[in-house]
């Protein structure tokens, strides 16, 4: 029999059990769930709604925005700005931090989000997702400016993502393990289907964009080359490889059956220390992975301890099954 605990019921129980969240936070997650439901509808209806294709604009990182990138960003803002839980927001699709309009009350939380991650996959009908991270704004700050947002990942109150795949799922942590909720397409409720997700410590599966091999640093090349040699190399076992080019899909797979995911440092563009963004991609995913028993690193530093210097800062990301990530860290030493 399916456990029909809803996302809201799970959070209310956590509040009653003194797990460090309050009603304001629960209302915020409810608003995020509302945004994700609308994005789910957009992603699912696709061409029928005319939402596929390019928006004809670029974001601050010089990437072409898809129509659904822009729409998803609008949904997040529409659902989350009015409730009085947020002091401010930062989005992959907004150049600067987003100020809550003066007509709405302001709250104590800051939210960072990537409204539609992996959006190069939209037009080819492959899984995409939304990623979010919530922290408390610095004490007494109601009108946060850029420096107020530069908070380390260790301070997160919540890390989460919503995956728009064969089924739509919300995965979150509030520091009490990782829990997965499946969207009931009829009632619109997120129902607890995957409680206490745990990443197996060992794996035979790696995920990396192999076309960047020649640009990587030696420790990552060594690790991947050893995986490729399989039973005929020092690892003495064969590995499998996956690359969806959608971080939400890769992290969900790793939460389900283990694996290692890497978007490591490369020398393709010396101005970019990695591809993925710290505040709204790497931090929430790292919090989730650590809470599920895995590790997450730049290769040299725990991602959650990286001191941010910009909301759109990029970092190398290596995360997943503990023993494999530890091996990559050791190769960097
Ligand atoms: P995006 O935020 O512009 O969608 O980029 C992030 C995505 C990740 O989901 C994924 O891991 C990576 O980019 C794939 O990059 P590549 O196309 O270089 O393989
Ligand atoms: Mg992204």
């Amino acid at each position: 029999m399916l456990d029909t605990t809803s996302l809201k019921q799970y959070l209310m129980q956590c509040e009653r059990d003194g797990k460090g969240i309050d009603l304001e936070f629960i209302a915020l997650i409810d608003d995020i769930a509302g945004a994700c439901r609308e994005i789910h509808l957009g992603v699912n209806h696709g061409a029928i709604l005319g939402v596929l294709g390019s928006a004809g604009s670029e974001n601050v990182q010089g990437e072409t925005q898809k129509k659904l990138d822009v729409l998803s960003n609008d949904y997040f803002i529409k659902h989350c700005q009015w409730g009085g839980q947020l002091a401010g927001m930062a989005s992959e699709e907004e150049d600067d931090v987003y100020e809550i309009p003066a007509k709405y009350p302001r709250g104590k939380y800051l939210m960072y989000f990537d409204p539609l991650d992996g959006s190069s996959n939209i037009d080819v009908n492959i899984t995409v997702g939304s990623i979010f991270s919530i922290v408390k704004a610095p004490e007494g700050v109601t009108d946060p400016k850029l420096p107020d947002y530069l908070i380390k990942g260790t301070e997160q109150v919540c890390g989460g993502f919503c995956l728009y795949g064969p089924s739509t799922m919300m995965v979150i942590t509030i520091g009490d393990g990782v829990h997965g909720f499946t969207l009931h397409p009829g009632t619109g409720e997120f129902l607890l289907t995957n409680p206490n997700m745990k990443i197996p410590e060992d794996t035979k599966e790696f995920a990396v964009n192999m076309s960047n091999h020649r640009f990587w640093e030696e420790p990552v090349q060594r690790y991947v080359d050893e995986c490729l040699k399989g039973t005929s190399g020092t690892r003495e076992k064969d590995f499998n490889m996956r690359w969806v080019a959608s971080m939400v899909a890769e992290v969900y797979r790793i939460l389900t059956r283990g694996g290692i995911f890497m978007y490591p440092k490369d020398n393709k563009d010396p101005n970019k220390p990695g591809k993925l963004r710290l505040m709204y991609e790497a931090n929430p995913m790292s919090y989730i992975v650590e809470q599920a028993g895995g590790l997450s690193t730049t290769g040299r530093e725990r991602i959650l301890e990286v001191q941010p210097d910009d909301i759109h800062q990029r970092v190398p990301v290596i995360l997943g099954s503990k023993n494999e990530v530890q091996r990559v860290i050791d190769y960097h030493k």
Side-chain angles (χ1 to χ4, degrees), residues 281-292:
E281 293 174 331
N283 269 342
M285 290 310 204
S286 299
Y287 191 20
I288 289 170
V289 165
E290 285 197 7
Q291 280 289 314

Side-chain angles (χ1 to χ4, degrees), residues 217-291:
E217 294 186 306
E218 193 276 333
V220 172
Q221 285 180 341
R222 174 184 169 192
Y223 175 79
V224 172
D225 291 349
E226 285 176 1
C227 291
L228 294 176
K229 286 204 181 89
T231 46
S232 53
T234 51
R235 298 299 308 270
E236 295 174 342
K237 61 177 183 179
D238 287 331
F239 282 77
N240 194 11
M241 200 201 93
R242 288 285 182 274
W243 189 246
V244 189
S246 226
M247 195 192 195
V248 281
E250 322 272 11
V251 170
Y252 189 77
R253 186 184 63 248
I254 289 170
L255 285 166
T256 309
R257 65 177 191 214
I260 180 169
F261 165 91
M262 297 185 280
Y263 216 113
K265 184 171 159 56
D266 63 43
N267 60 16
K268 215 174 181 177
D269 177 349
N271 297 317
K272 292 181 186 169
K275 176 177 182 186
L276 301 175
R277 274 53 57 109
L278 174 65
M279 313 274 329
Y280 40 77
E281 293 174 331
N283 269 342
M285 290 310 204
S286 299
Y287 191 20
I288 289 170
V289 165
E290 285 197 7
Q291 280 289 314

Side-chain angles (χ1 to χ4, degrees), residues 17-206:
D17 293 344
K19 290 187 175 159
I21 56 166
D22 56 18
L23 297 180
E24 218 173 306
F25 171 83
I26 296 173
L28 174 58
I29 297 291
D30 207 37
D31 291 342
I32 293 172
C36 292
R37 272 192 286 272
E38 277 209 67
I39 300 170
H40 153 88
L41 286 175
V43 170
N44 270 259
H45 284 77
I48 298 170
L49 279 184
V51 293
L52 303 185
S54 166
S57 52
E58 280 189 354
N59 65 15
V60 67
Q61 4 239 336
E63 297 158 345
T64 305
Q65 289 178 306
K66 302 275 183 185
K67 283 184 198 160
L68 263 175
D69 280 325
V70 177
L71 264 178
S72 303
N73 191 53
D74 292 348
Y75 291 149
F76 257 85
I77 290 174
K78 178 183 87 176
H79 281 268
C80 300
Q81 66 177 352
W82 66 276
Q85 306 98 6
L86 286 174
M89 308 182 223
S91 163
E92 176 172 327
E93 304 303 336
E94 298 280 333
D95 298 6
D96 302 313
V97 297
Y98 179 82
E99 273 186 41
I100 305 290
K103 61 181 173 184
Y104 299 123
R106 294 199 180 169
K108 59 170 168 292
Y109 294 106
L110 294 176
M111 177 167 74
Y112 316 86
F113 61 98
D114 179 353
L116 203 59
D117 185 62
S119 53
S120 69
N121 277 328
I122 296 169
D123 296 345
V124 287
N125 206 3
I126 291 175
T127 298
V128 286
S130 306
I131 314 175
F132 55 93
S133 161
I134 300 167
V135 299
K136 283 198 178 127
E139 200 63 36
V141 172
T142 51
D143 185 19
K145 305 294 178 212
L146 176 66
D148 298 311
Y149 283 82
L150 305 179
I151 297 171
K152 282 186 188 180
T154 44
E155 300 302 309
Q156 288 173 103
V157 176
C158 173
F161 65 84
C162 189
L163 168 142
Y164 313 105
S167 52
T168 290
M169 291 198 68
M170 177 89 78
V171 174
I172 68 164
T173 185
I174 55 162
D176 183 43
V178 177
H179 307 284
F181 300 81
T182 304
L183 179 68
H184 188 299
T187 64
E189 271 197 298
F190 282 97
L191 299 175
L192 181 61
T193 47
N194 302 62
N196 272 314
M197 302 183 84
K198 289 281 175 228
I199 301 175
E201 289 188 358
D202 291 295
T203 182
K204 288 177 165 186
E205 199 161 67
F206 66 98

